[in-house]
Amino acid sequence: MVLKTEDVRSGPATGYDAADITVLEGLDPVRKRPGMYIGSTGPSGLHHLVWEVVDNAVDEAMAGYCTQIDVTLLADGGVRVSDNGRGIPTGPMPKYGGRSAAEVVLTVLHAGGKFGEGGGYKVSGGLHGVGISVVNALSTRLVLEIDRDGDHHVMEFVDGGTPTGPLRVVGTAPRGRTGTTVTFWPDAGIFEEVEFRAQTVVERLQVMAFLNRGLEIRFVDERPEGKAAQTFKYKDGIIDYVRHLNASKEALFRKVASLDRREEAMEVEIALQWNTGFYESIHSFANGISTVDGGMHEEGFKKALTNVANKYARAKGTLKDKDDNLLGEDIREGLTAIVSVRLQDPQFEGQTKGKLGNVPVRSLVERATNEKLAEWFEENPREANQIIQKGMLAARARVAARSARDLTRRKSALDGAGLPGKLVDCSSRDPRESEMFIVEGNSAGGSAKDARNPRLQAILPIRGKILNVERARIDKMLKNTEIQALISAVGAGLADDFDVTKIRYHKVIILADADVDGSHIRTLLLTFFFRQMKPLVEGGFVYVAQPPLYSTLVGKEKVYLKDDAAKEAFLGEHPNHKADFQRLKGLGEMDFSELRDTTMDPGRRSLLQIGVEQAALADEVCSVLMGEDVDLRRQFIQTNAKDVRFLDI
Ligand code: 0RA
């Protein structure tokens, strides 16, 4: 770090003169290349400013000096972060021309934790650890307030870090109070937009509170549309986090396992619980920063978990000599875990810097998990057994799914084109213009066959009841003849072998009734596509047909109206409309022309393209619907009502 001030000045600061301009050179690079410091000048970079200040306060909490952090989005577009830590040191720093330490922290890159040897942090920084000076550099105005030694100090900066004067004592601190308050207004000349998103801030603050047991973080949004204030404080930290993540699921058992271990330069904390679902959800962090791509800490954890579970299952005779070991993925089915490590110099790797690269962390986490989770298994035999049983079930499903898959693959290889008997195919061989309607029930399949354009539209009738197996695991699904028909009709294989370039139709359209069964089938089909043919969803090839609810006659012409809202709108526009409204029945009861006009004719029908997010939601709905917890089901559907509307739930 080059600080020209040192060359220019010899004694302590006397006031603000020409020499101060040199300090500004310290922050200039930040304004020139903001992306280098905060990643981008988009919304992510903007919020980065908040994380930077909050992280500093959290560091102070981790050092054991701060118990409360307040984050306020101000009505005028500023952000205030206030903590009750020791307060940034205010004394003069001879090495920096006698400027106050606070000024140095705010105007020199990376100055944050570099001084105050004894008071320095054990671990600090990370991805965000660029220093508050970066926030200063990218703000039109920043006000720093420090309560320390009984004094209330204030210093203000404008235009990206220019002090308006030195740090000054302007009064006394509230009795016994110490702490730092940073208020800043992001520079609209630098950021694409300067409006903070409350939800983004709230979510991160909550995670921070989970990761720092006992720390109270309050959020207030003072902007005109701001929602109510929220306070996050978790006595049991990441254990509470796991409970929170599993709250919308059905836990396999009540207890949450947890372990931790501290060594000189690093520490690890883990909490874990299983739910009855099939997904693994491991959230890992390094120094409070989410490592979405995992890394050494996750590797160590997974390896040890697999080891502990297999050892336990062998020791108790649940796994016999002839049995294969459970795979990690078997044991992790339904697992929700938090793995949080803290270390001195975290290396964030990969394209998005979401992967922890420090090798020694792997061994620490692995050793800690091997030892302490094994103890937890011994002390909680009931839960341990449930975990093993669930893992063994997953292993059986995995083996069955593989053989079912091999079977489908062999079949389609043998039967040439391998098209299922009940597929009424279209004559075109160009997938780009071909559509396949998946139609529930044989009678609906019959009318769809009549109403279609035989050149471009294929019909695959499926019998709903068969799919309608609650708790159908994927291996069962694959043995199901309806699903087998679906796989060969789409023609591109399955799961890892799925090759989206081979699909036989560029529109796969689900056509199911607007009743409970129909919604169930839609949900199951979307879940199936999401899990087993993801590229089909990602490519935008999956659609849901939305037949209208009403029809009415205008003169001789039949007009279709999507739903009640459309009906109201129509009545508004046609106040003298006398004719009745027909409520359209299920697909099976629609006649040829109704079906053609509402669902098959590309010019008139209404199709909903399904994206990955919607399919994922269907998948989640599916696991909740399969669960036994009725309240949970009701609550889930209520909270997601808006989003699951396409499923008609
Ligand atoms: C440097 C040294 C010390 C504390 C801090 C910085 C500090 C920075 C921030 C930023 C936001 N809140 C903060 N709180 C503290 C140690 C001070 C000492 O030794 O007393």
Side-chain angles (χ1 to χ4, degrees):
M1 172 198 331
V2 187
L3 194 79
K4 298 197 174 159
T5 314
E6 272 186 295
D7 311 331
V8 179
R9 277 193 186 165
S10 46
T14 49
Y16 276 74
D17 51 41
D20 300 310
I21 295 177
T22 57
V23 173
L24 275 183
E25 289 181 11
L27 293 181
D28 232 26
V30 183
R31 290 180 67 79
K32 281 220 181 81
R33 295 166 172 270
M36 295 256 298
Y37 299 87
I38 53 164
S40 79
T41 52
S44 149
L46 176 74
H47 288 85
H48 216 120
L49 302 183
V50 185
W51 314 154
E52 187 56 47
V53 185
V54 172
D55 282 1
N56 275 282
V58 169
D59 282 349
E60 189 67 1
M62 274 170 47
Y65 299 100
C66 162
T67 59
Q68 192 177 64
I69 300 171
D70 284 85
V71 178
T72 310
L73 299 183
L74 304 175
D76 66 2
V79 185
R80 175 168 297 142
V81 180
S82 191
D83 66 60
N84 67 350
R86 286 168 293 183
I88 302 180
T90 53
M93 295 188 80
K95 269 181 137 188
Y96 290 93
R99 294 157 189 282
S100 66
E103 178 178 340
V104 174
V105 169
L106 268 290
T107 55
V108 177
L109 277 173
H110 301 296
K114 289 240 164 108
F115 50 87
E117 256 87 291
Y121 308 125
K122 198 164 40 119
V123 292
S124 152
L127 188 61
H128 309 127
V130 288
I132 322 188
S133 56
V134 167
V135 178
N136 200 11
L138 302 176
S139 298
T140 51
R141 180 171 175 236
L142 184 146
V143 177
L144 171 68
E145 295 165 82
I146 298 167
D147 285 326
R148 211 179 143 101
D149 308 321
D151 293 327
H152 184 69
H153 307 72
V154 178
M155 181 167 185
E156 192 174 331
F157 305 84
V158 292
D159 302 332
T162 310
T164 59
L167 182 74
R168 280 195 323 217
V169 173
V170 297
T172 53
R175 213 181 140 70
R177 180 187 142 87
T178 58
T180 307
T181 301
V182 174
T183 311
F184 66 93
W185 289 261
D187 191 335
I190 287 192
F191 292 97
E192 287 157 31
E193 47 176 320
V194 287
E195 194 172 324
F196 292 96
R197 190 171 160 263
Q199 191 58 25
T200 304
V201 178
V202 164
E203 275 167 19
R204 168 132 190 116
L205 295 183
Q206 185 175 28
V207 170
M208 282 301 208
F210 277 130
L211 294 179
N212 293 278
R213 175 180 348 140
L215 173 62
E216 180 170 327
I217 306 184
R218 291 193 297 199
F219 173 78
V220 179
D221 189 350
E222 291 180 350
R223 298 172 306 178
E225 306 284 294
K227 299 231 165 55
Q230 295 191 63
T231 301
F232 302 110
K233 181 178 180 177
Y234 301 101
K235 167 165 99 24
D236 294 321
I238 58 171
I239 296 180
D240 290 323
Y241 197 177
V242 166
R243 288 199 196 287
H244 169 80
L245 290 171
N246 265 345
S248 66
K249 315 220 161 60
E250 190 185 1
L252 191 61
F253 42 77
R254 249 183 43 77
K255 284 180 192 162
V256 177
S258 66
L259 62 102
D260 56 45
R261 184 170 200 139
R262 247 153 271 265
E263 284 180 2
E264 281 135 67
M266 35 182 190
E267 58 189 64
V268 56
E269 262 187 286
I270 298 176
L272 59 163
Q273 191 186 39
W274 275 258
N275 62 55
T276 56
F278 306 133
Y279 279 125
E280 88 174 60
S281 148
I282 300 178
H283 298 249
S284 65
F285 300 86
N287 292 4
I289 293 160
S290 170
T291 36
V292 284
D293 301 318
M296 292 302 157
H297 48 351
E298 272 193 36
E299 270 182 35
F301 169 66
K302 287 181 184 173
K303 186 155 175 233
L305 173 62
T306 309
N307 177 46
V308 168
N310 276 302
K311 263 199 181 142
Y312 184 87
R314 296 247 175 241
K316 304 293 164 191
T318 331
L319 267 185
K320 304 278 186 290
D321 287 344
K322 63 174 173 45
D323 294 331
D324 283 334
N325 262 355
L326 300 174
L327 295 189
E329 59 183 74
D330 300 331
I331 298 152
R332 296 194 300 270
E333 228 186 60
L335 169 71
T336 302
I338 307 294
V339 178
S340 170
V341 297
R342 305 203 187 266
L343 65 162
Q344 231 139 43
D345 195 6
Q347 300 299 317
F348 294 99
E349 298 177 345
Q351 274 258 287
T352 51
K353 303 271 174 246
K355 192 168 181 182
L356 184 69
N358 305 60
V359 176
V361 171
R362 181 173 52 201
S363 145
L364 166 73
V365 178
E366 191 179 330
R367 279 180 288 123
T369 309
N370 265 329
E371 251 173 59
K372 300 198 172 174
L373 193 62
E375 274 170 34
W376 191 89
F377 270 49
E378 288 299 338
E379 285 160 12
N380 298 277
R382 217 178 75 91
E383 286 76 9
N385 189 44
Q386 280 174 287
I387 295 165
I388 301 298
Q389 293 300 335
K390 184 167 167 58
M392 289 176 68
L393 205 63
R396 272 205 292 279
R398 171 171 53 77
V399 172
R402 173 125 301 270
S403 53
R405 239 187 333 248
D406 290 347
L407 199 69
T408 3
R409 214 181 295 150
R410 252 201 318 281
K411 248 195 197 159
S412 53
L414 286 177
D415 308 349
L419 292 176
K422 28 189 193 168
L423 175 73
V424 184
D425 208 2
C426 53
S427 56
S428 167
R429 283 288 160 265
D430 182 355
R432 286 169 303 180
E433 60 173 8
S434 303
E435 306 179 342
M436 175 172 73
F437 287 85
I438 305 172
V439 184
E440 164 196 3
N442 285 329
S443 65
S447 12
K449 192 178 161 189
D450 292 337
R452 74 180 178 135
N453 170 348
R455 196 175 76 79
L456 302 176
Q457 298 182 317
I459 309 292
L460 181 69
I462 57 167
R463 278 192 296 139
K465 282 282 147 41
I466 300 208
L467 253 181
N468 205 347
V469 205
E470 291 216 321
R471 301 199 149 267
R473 297 186 58 116
I474 199 67
D475 56 311
K476 274 200 201 126
M477 275 197 168
L478 291 173
K479 278 197 200 130
N480 179 308
T481 51
E482 310 300 304
I483 290 291
Q484 288 186 358
L486 191 56
I487 296 166
S488 32
V490 173
L494 197 65
D496 295 342
D497 305 324
F498 188 82
D499 179 357
V500 76
T501 63
K502 294 219 173 83
I503 56 174
R504 301 181 62 253
Y505 313 92
H506 276 201
K507 285 200 173 75
V508 174
I509 304 165
I510 302 175
L511 194 51
D513 271 345
D515 58 13
V516 178
D517 278 352
S519 128
H520 210 154
I521 286 158
R522 243 187 320 273
T523 311
L524 282 163
L525 280 171
L526 289 177
T527 301
F528 175 75
F529 288 138
F530 178 69
R531 290 197 197 173
Q532 300 295 324
M533 298 187 179
K534 205 166 198 172
L536 191 71
V537 181
E538 287 165 342
F541 301 118
V542 177
Y543 295 81
V544 167
Q546 299 188 299
L549 271 188
Y550 301 103
S551 71
T552 188
L553 284 174
V554 177
K556 276 189 183 157
E557 201 197 341
K558 207 181 226 178
V559 172
Y560 293 98
L561 298 162
K562 195 169 94 211
D563 50 19
D564 287 300
K567 186 176 150 194
E568 291 312 314
F570 175 86
L571 280 172
E573 285 165 28
H574 304 80
N576 301 321
H577 187 75
K578 287 286 178 306
D580 284 338
F581 289 89
Q582 304 290 316
R583 199 181 159 95
L584 293 173
K585 307 229 178 55
L587 289 168
E589 281 112 290
M590 275 198 201
D591 68 21
F592 156 80
S593 68
E594 280 175 335
L595 195 60
R596 187 195 53 206
D597 295 350
T598 62
T599 29
M600 308 207 71
D601 178 356
R604 278 181 282 182
R605 69 187 176 195
S606 149
L607 290 185
L608 178 70
Q609 192 175 34
I610 298 297
V612 176
E613 258 170 51
Q614 282 166 307
L617 195 64
D619 183 75
E620 202 173 335
V621 169
C622 219
S623 61
V624 176
L625 289 181
M626 286 178 189
E628 246 114 66
D629 190 332
V630 182
D631 283 339
L632 185 63
R633 208 179 308 181
R634 197 173 301 136
Q635 181 204 332
F636 180 88
I637 290 168
Q638 264 167 18
T639 46
N640 291 286
K642 228 177 60 229
D643 302 318
V644 297
R645 199 163 291 154
F646 66 99
L647 297 170
D648 280 327
I649 287 175

